Amino acid sequence: LHEKGKIYYSFYSYDSGLLSKYPIQDSAVIFPEKDDHGSMYKLNCEVDGRKICVYTAHLDYQDCAYYMVRGYDGSTWKKLPAPVTSVDSLLNSNTSSQRDDAVKLFLKDAQKEISSGNLVFLGGDFKEPSHLDWIESTKDSADHNGVVIPWTVTTLLHEAGFKDVYREVY
């Protein structure tokens, strides 16, 4: 990219990464990758005099309970005798992952940034559906098998005031 006159900045990470066309002032590990249970990183940069905090999430792939609704184990992906449709069972399995732990650490860090007047953006692979897609009107579509469920990660983000930009725009 440099040979083509493009300059981008980054920092070393063990999992997902971030590129910025703005110089990175600081970076941090929010949730360290350990034993392949996901990660989350943050960069701070300045754009037009405003501090921007960008977080990247590549969350835990284990205990993906939405597979269970479709009749497969959420860690081994082997076929189950039947789909699991108990919301309590699904949420118990779902929170056995470390996805919610990573998001809670993000929320703690992001709140400090927001309190300081900084803009916060989070993107990445949450390894979990949106709670906004598993509602009454969709319970009988897309292999939801009648399930209406407040998936953990997006519910935590929603309750903390974060918005899904794609949904806001479209």
Side-chain angles (χ1 to χ4, degrees):
L1 292 171
H2 187 70
E3 291 173 6
K4 294 182 178 195
K6 304 285 184 187
I7 297 175
Y8 288 89
Y9 305 91
S10 190
F11 56 89
Y12 183 80
S13 66
Y14 288 100
D15 197 11
S16 61
L18 288 164
L19 289 173
S20 173
K21 73 177 190 176
Y22 300 97
I24 297 171
Q25 297 173 330
D26 191 18
S27 64
V29 176
I30 302 303
F31 189 80
E33 190 284 322
K34 184 177 180 191
D35 300 326
D36 203 21
H37 285 284
S39 65
M40 188 175 295
Y41 300 93
K42 170 177 101 170
L43 72 74
N44 295 331
C45 63
E46 192 172 296
V47 178
D48 297 329
R50 183 104 190 251
K51 186 174 174 186
I52 309 292
C53 305
V54 181
Y55 299 76
T56 180
H58 187 226
L59 301 184
D60 191 358
Y61 74 97
Q62 295 289 310
D63 300 300
C64 289
Y66 62 94
Y67 281 98
M68 296 167 62
V69 177
R70 294 176 169 129
Y72 296 89
D73 184 276
S75 292
T76 67
W77 300 277
K78 291 181 180 175
K79 189 148 182 65
L80 299 172
V84 177
T85 57
S86 162
V87 172
D88 288 339
S89 294
L90 292 166
L91 289 176
N92 283 337
S93 178
N94 199 53
T95 56
S96 294
S97 78
Q98 295 181 27
R99 291 183 294 277
D100 56 323
D101 303 314
V103 169
K104 288 174 185 172
L105 289 173
F106 158 75
L107 290 171
K108 184 177 177 182
D109 191 78
Q111 189 54 53
K112 286 188 248 177
E113 297 293 355
I114 292 167
S115 295
S116 296
N118 303 324
L119 293 177
V120 169
F121 297 90
L122 168 65
D125 184 351
F126 296 165
K127 301 280 197 266
E128 197 175 296
S130 172
H131 70 290
L132 299 172
D133 293 329
W134 289 68
I135 57 177
E136 190 65 33
S137 64
T138 64
K139 72 179 184 182
D140 296 318
S141 65
D143 291 328
H144 290 192
N145 287 316
V147 175
V148 173
I149 187 167
W151 293 109
T152 311
V153 167
T154 57
T155 297
L156 287 169
L157 293 168
H158 180 82
E159 289 173 349
F162 285 87
K163 296 189 184 291
D164 181 326
V165 173
Y166 183 85
R167 287 180 191 275
E168 291 295 311
V169 172
Y170 299 103

